[in-house]
Amino acid sequence: MGLLPPLRMRLPVALLRATVLELAVLAAHMIVYPSGLIPERRASRPAPAGAAPPGSPGSLEPPESPGAAHGHPDTPDPAETHGSAAPPSLPARSPRHPPAVLLHGFVDNRSVFVLLRRSLARQDGRPVESLNYSPLTCDIRAAAELLGRHVEEICARTGRPRVDIVGHSLGGLIARYYVQRLGGDGRVRTLVTLGTPHTGTRFAPLASAHPIVRQMRPGSAVIEELGLPAPGCRTRFVSFWSDLDQIMVPLETARLEHPDLMVRNVRVSGIGHLALPVHPAVAAGIREALEMSGAEAESPGAVSVA
């Protein structure tokens, strides 16, 4: 009986630590958040012969891809600049890894990936780009179409046929819709999701006034679409979910379960929702996930940072 109090206290102590870390991450993120609003200046290079032509010179707007929606006001801004850091440029040599595209969550911007971006860029000089979508975006489907246009532009500019995508929270849901419902599996090699409500979340019921929040609820039309058959999907999925994520209600909604998808679910212990894209242990897990292939990529995993 003497062991029961410590056992009962273990979870509250872990939750307290995770909460303190979440507050620290939030405070730090509020400082760098404005830097994520500044458009990124890219140093471009000519695409290899035979590659599709990129967008107009000097324009941040990607070219229109076949089947994409026209005239939608919520065109995302594919940019990331942090403080006085020099703008990233594409490496002169051809890296072994495809470009990585980072997509943020609800009411956030690319500044949330400042640490993860540096970590991934060190992986064989991989090109890394963080995309913004408008905070006024009201439809996951429209955001997914715009993501597809950006992916086409990145492939044309880099001369690479495929990309990897890392999406945090809503960003993972947008990327998954692009892959499953809009033919994005032809462009996306691996999709990594961080704390993404794959089956919907019941968190903050009062926030349902926002249309995109309603689409993230269990049973929404978007969630139902993502549950439909997806035979032959070529993208590998890696889903990181945390046992202390207070935004995912229930916690297991961040696990991806679909009979037609190649999925690896990775349980993260000891941190909450906001820490997922910034914690070094998770960044290491993401780099490892992007190196995997075949059956290894579909095996369950775990990351403990408690």
Side-chain angles (χ1 to χ4, degrees):
M1 295 295 291
L3 294 177
L4 288 180
L7 289 175
R8 290 173 179 171
M9 289 297 293
R10 185 175 302 167
L11 180 58
V13 169
L15 182 58
L16 177 61
R17 290 175 179 170
T19 302
V20 171
L21 179 59
E22 289 284 278
L23 294 175
V25 169
L26 178 61
H29 186 42
M30 293 302 293
I31 295 173
V32 300
Y33 187 92
S35 69
L37 302 173
I38 304 172
E40 174 186 84
R41 295 174 296 161
R42 295 202 192 97
S44 61
R45 68 176 183 184
S56 58
S59 173
L60 291 176
E61 180 70 20
E64 188 77 6
S65 61
H70 296 273
H72 197 280
D74 294 332
T75 303
D77 174 13
E80 180 176 5
T81 299
H82 301 289
S84 59
S89 60
L90 296 175
R93 61 189 174 90
S94 178
R96 180 166 58 92
H97 301 92
V101 180
L102 310 181
L103 197 61
H104 62 79
F106 184 57
V107 298
D108 208 342
N109 64 37
R110 61 189 173 274
S111 63
V112 72
F113 292 119
V114 60
L115 299 179
L116 179 60
R117 176 173 185 150
R118 293 172 184 170
S119 177
L120 292 179
R122 290 196 297 266
Q123 194 177 27
D124 190 38
R126 173 200 293 270
V128 183
E129 302 198 15
S130 301
L131 305 183
N132 271 0
Y133 55 87
S134 170
L136 302 179
T137 298
C138 294
D139 184 25
I140 288 175
R141 301 178 186 89
E145 289 177 352
L146 293 170
L147 170 62
R149 293 168 59 189
H150 280 290
V151 169
E152 291 298 320
E153 187 271 338
I154 290 169
C155 289
R157 177 159 41 83
T158 62
R160 303 300 296 270
R162 307 192 83 186
V163 301
D164 291 331
I165 297 181
V166 179
H168 179 227
S169 197
L170 171 61
L173 211 57
I174 292 172
R176 184 182 165 197
Y177 193 93
Y178 163 60
V179 167
Q180 278 187 240
R181 307 297 298 169
L182 302 179
D185 62 315
R187 285 297 194 191
V188 181
R189 184 190 69 154
T190 303
L191 170 56
V192 176
T193 65
L194 310 174
T196 291
H198 290 291
T199 56
T201 177
R202 297 184 177 89
F203 177 78
L206 297 181
S208 292
H210 196 293
I212 211 164
V213 173
R214 291 198 296 272
Q215 290 184 332
M216 289 190 286
R217 296 301 190 199
S220 74
V222 167
I223 296 297
E224 292 296 319
E225 280 187 64
L226 291 175
L228 294 175
C233 183
R234 292 162 284 182
T235 298
R236 293 186 288 113
F237 295 82
V238 182
S239 177
F240 286 79
W241 66 285
S242 171
D243 55 10
L244 294 178
D245 190 336
Q246 302 300 302
I247 307 298
M248 297 296 104
V249 181
L251 290 173
E252 293 75 16
T253 189
R255 290 176 52 89
L256 177 52
E257 307 285 352
H258 194 293
D260 295 331
L261 303 181
M262 298 177 286
V263 179
R264 180 174 187 249
N265 285 297
V266 181
R267 176 174 177 168
V268 182
S269 299
I271 63 175
H273 189 77
L274 299 179
L276 284 169
V278 302
H279 200 284
V282 178
I286 294 171
R287 292 197 306 271
E288 179 184 352
L290 295 181
E291 291 276 6
M292 293 180 177
S293 62
E296 184 184 19
E298 299 179 54
S299 62
V303 176
S304 178
V305 295

